[in-house]
DNA sequence: GCTCCTCATTGTGGTTCGAGAGGCA
DNA sequence: TTGCCTCTCGAACCACAATGAGGAG
């Protein structure tokens, strides 16, 4: 189509601009994918490895994926609805709208140290991908995703391989979603979701809009350092993986296998993951909207401008897929509200900073010096106050 | 550049007290 | 609406070892 070719022509310079915007601060040539707070630097994977393996001090730096929206801040939120990783500010700006606030979002964690490649894959959500699979993706990618040729990304952010490999890279989807599946598996309600696959464990699985570049750099990394994969990784042939996947759908390459913060999310999120996927419209239609709405409200999982960030209520789910399909309602409402946002941008910025700070606030008492604590506990007191010691 | 010394500052926990919120007549 | 009572929560208080900054040799 002419339209599509024009789009391609328009996309190429856009890619260049994006590349320029995300240039690695260290090498200045590769696309930066990570952000190091300690260094205030954007880095590509190989430079990150080079910089942070220099000594033990550097290796303690915490790095995060780079925000897909501003390209200049560490990402803290993964929006599955938009398949984007966002920093606190961008998350707030794009999700404080009433219609888009129901996007399915979840917090991201950074990493430190000098991780091996499969640990890096875990960080971006593909922990079970082995070296062979990674390299195979290079061979069979066919250049769909840019000149280097990796996996083509579909509309929803999934990949377009015919051999079933792409299925490893999409989020887990229950084959059948029924009304029973929407029942929260909360012991307090004595309800138990029926016939629902177990909750994916790795909630950090996210690599945003730059999956292809991430995989490209990881491939370069594994080619330059063949020992980068840890020895104990069980390398399985791709075909066997595929067949295994058929038997145990969702257990492979979903990026959810890693145990991460099991207690952070309340039980209602279990059902989010159970029916929230890039699945079909029929599935969504089979879920009574009113039921979902009332259920979500009951569980307080629909964050609004005032409450989404308070830490107790986590990121909500609108029941739509995570695969990059923006809520059409939200999309249509965006320009109107965006104008309003510009007028109150300062306030929004201040609010976002406040929200971000509030989110990272530590309520528990933090003891900096254990020796002083021990000393204080053993001190003599008069009505709670420290008393002079008799020497 | 390194070591030693001096001095100001910090941080620690149990108790008390006061401000503020909420309930009730 | 006002006044009183109860409850909750957080700030202040205390002494002193530990810590860090700065200067001298």
């Amino acid at each position: 189509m002419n339209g599509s070719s024009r789009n391609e022509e328009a996309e190429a310079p856009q890619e260049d601009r994006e590349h320029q915007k995300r240039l690695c601060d260290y090498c200045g040539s590769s696309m930066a994918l990570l952000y190091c707070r300690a260094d205030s630097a954007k880095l590509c994977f190989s430079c990150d490895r080079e910089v942070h393996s220099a000594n033990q001090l550097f290796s303690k730096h915490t790095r995060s994926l780079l925000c897909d929206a501003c390209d200049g801040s560490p990402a803290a939120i993964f929006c599955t609805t938009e398949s984007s990783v966002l920093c606190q500010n961008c998350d707030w700006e794009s999700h404080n709208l009433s219609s888009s606030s129901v996007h399915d979002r979840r917090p991201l964690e950074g990493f430190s140290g000098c991780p091996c490649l499969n640990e890096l894959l875990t960080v971006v959500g593909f922990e079970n991908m082995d070296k062979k699979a990674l390299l195979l993706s290079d061979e069979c990618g066919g250049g769909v995703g840019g000149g280097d040729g990796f996996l083509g990304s579909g509309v929803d952010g999934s990949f377009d391989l015919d051999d079933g490999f792409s299925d490893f890279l999409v989020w887990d989807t229950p084959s059948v979603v029924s009304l029973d599946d929407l029942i929260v598996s909360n012991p307090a309600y004595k309800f138990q979701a029926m016939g629902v696959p177990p909750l994916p464990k790795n909630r950090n699985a996210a690599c945003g809009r730059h999956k292809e570049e991430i995989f490209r750099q990881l491939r370069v990394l594994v080619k330059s350092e063949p020992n980068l994969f840890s020895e104990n990784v069980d390398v399985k042939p791709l075909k066997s993986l595929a067949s295994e996947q058929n038997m145990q759908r969702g257990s492979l390459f979903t990026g959810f296998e890693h145990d991460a913060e099991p207690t952070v999310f309340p039980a209602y999120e279990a059902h989010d993951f159970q029916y929230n996927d890039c699945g079909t419209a029929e599935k969504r239609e089979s879920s009574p909207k009113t039921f979902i709405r009332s259920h979500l409200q009951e569980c307080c999982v629909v964050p609004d401008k005032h409450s989404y960030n308070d830490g107790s209520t986590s990121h909500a789910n609108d029941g739509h897929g995570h695969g990059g399909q923006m809520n059409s309602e939200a999309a249509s409402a965006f320009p109107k509200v965006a104008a309003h946002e510009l007028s109150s941008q300062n306030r929004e910025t201040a609010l976002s900073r406040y929200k971000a700070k509030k989110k990272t606030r530590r309520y528990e008492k933090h003891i900096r010096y254990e020796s002083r604590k021990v000393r204080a506990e053993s001190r003599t007191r008069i009505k709670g106050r420290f008393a002079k010691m008799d020497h």
Side-chain angles (χ1 to χ4, degrees), chain A residues 38-307:
Chain A
D39 298 327
S40 298
K42 297 184 280 187
L43 298 167
C44 63
F45 272 104
S46 62
C47 289
D48 170 73
R49 188 163 188 80
E50 187 176 340
V51 168
H52 291 107
S53 62
N55 61 45
Q56 279 196 330
L57 195 62
F58 290 165
S59 74
K60 289 179 180 176
H61 291 180
T62 300
R63 286 94 77 196
S64 310
L65 288 171
L66 203 54
C67 173
D68 282 341
C70 66
D71 297 320
S73 300
I77 300 291
F78 177 56
C79 174
T80 59
T81 310
E82 299 177 40
S83 287
S84 299
V85 292
L86 301 169
C87 65
Q88 298 276 3
N89 280 350
C90 295
D91 173 62
W92 173 251
E93 283 173 12
S94 63
H95 288 117
N96 65 349
L97 313 175
S98 60
S99 50
S100 60
S101 63
V102 293
H103 284 187
D104 180 20
R105 283 134 52 231
R106 54 200 167 83
L108 285 176
E109 287 183 353
F111 66 96
S112 60
C114 194
C116 62
L117 196 59
N118 48 335
E119 286 170 333
L120 284 173
L121 284 167
T122 301
V123 169
V124 298
F126 300 108
E127 64 170 358
N128 274 2
M129 173 179 280
D130 53 45
K131 181 179 177 178
K132 190 171 180 178
L134 185 66
L135 293 174
L136 182 65
S137 68
D138 188 21
E139 294 165 9
C140 61
V144 183
D148 199 59
F150 179 52
L151 305 164
S153 59
V155 176
D156 61 353
S158 61
F159 301 96
D160 298 329
L161 286 181
D162 293 329
D163 58 0
F165 179 79
S166 60
D167 288 342
F168 301 154
L169 304 178
V170 300
W171 292 46
D172 186 19
T173 308
S175 54
V176 176
V177 177
S178 67
L179 202 58
D180 290 329
D181 298 335
L182 301 176
I183 296 173
V184 180
S185 301
N186 188 339
Y189 297 112
K190 300 288 190 288
F191 288 147
Q192 179 63 43
M194 297 166 61
V196 178
L199 177 65
K201 292 176 184 175
N202 184 1
R203 293 159 184 271
N204 285 334
C207 48
R209 296 174 187 166
H210 298 280
K211 284 177 201 162
E212 298 161 24
E213 180 63 19
I214 287 173
F215 277 95
R216 191 192 68 77
Q217 291 191 11
L218 289 178
R219 271 202 316 276
V220 172
L221 214 53
V222 75
K223 281 176 180 173
S224 61
E225 297 182 52
N227 295 329
L228 203 53
F229 259 98
S230 62
E231 303 282 327
N232 56 357
V233 173
D234 184 21
V235 181
K236 294 178 182 177
L238 187 59
K239 286 297 178 185
S240 69
L241 278 174
S243 59
E244 202 174 321
Q245 184 221 19
N246 289 335
M247 292 188 298
Q248 197 178 346
R249 188 173 174 79
S251 65
L252 293 169
F253 285 24
T254 61
F256 288 121
E257 290 79 2
H258 184 62
D259 273 305
E261 298 182 352
T263 59
V264 168
F265 291 80
Y268 59 74
E269 284 207 356
H271 95 278
D272 289 349
F273 279 92
Q274 284 153 9
Y275 68 82
N276 174 31
D277 61 308
C278 52
T280 64
E282 300 91 272
K283 285 176 187 174
R284 285 196 289 273
E285 283 166 10
S286 68
S287 311
K289 285 179 183 175
T290 53
F291 176 83
I292 295 172
R293 177 66 60 189
S294 63
H295 178 67
L296 290 175
Q297 285 169 348
E298 250 182 58
C299 297
C300 303
V301 298
V302 181
D304 57 27
K305 193 172 179 174
H306 308 289
S307 69

Side-chain angles (χ1 to χ4, degrees), chain A residues 280-353:
Chain A
T280 64
E282 300 91 272
K283 285 176 187 174
R284 285 196 289 273
E285 283 166 10
S286 68
S287 311
K289 285 179 183 175
T290 53
F291 176 83
I292 295 172
R293 177 66 60 189
S294 63
H295 178 67
L296 290 175
Q297 285 169 348
E298 250 182 58
C299 297
C300 303
V301 298
V302 181
D304 57 27
K305 193 172 179 174
H306 308 289
S307 69
Y308 90 100
N309 217 359
D310 66 359
S312 59
T313 57
S314 193
H315 309 294
N317 186 306
D318 59 355
H320 291 205
H322 65 277
Q325 290 181 338
M326 196 174 179
N327 185 324
S328 60
E329 202 177 308
S332 62
F334 190 81
K336 281 182 265 180
V337 193
H340 174 261
E341 264 192 35
L342 283 175
S343 64
S344 58
Q345 198 169 10
N346 288 340
R347 183 176 176 276
E348 298 293 338
T349 306
L351 261 176
S352 67
R353 287 204 197 97

Side-chain angles (χ1 to χ4, degrees), chain A residues 4-15 17:
Chain A
S4 64
S5 63
R6 270 200 301 272
N7 284 342
E8 285 169 10
E9 288 169 11
E11 279 171 9
Q14 187 180 344
E15 266 184 29
R17 281 196 301 273

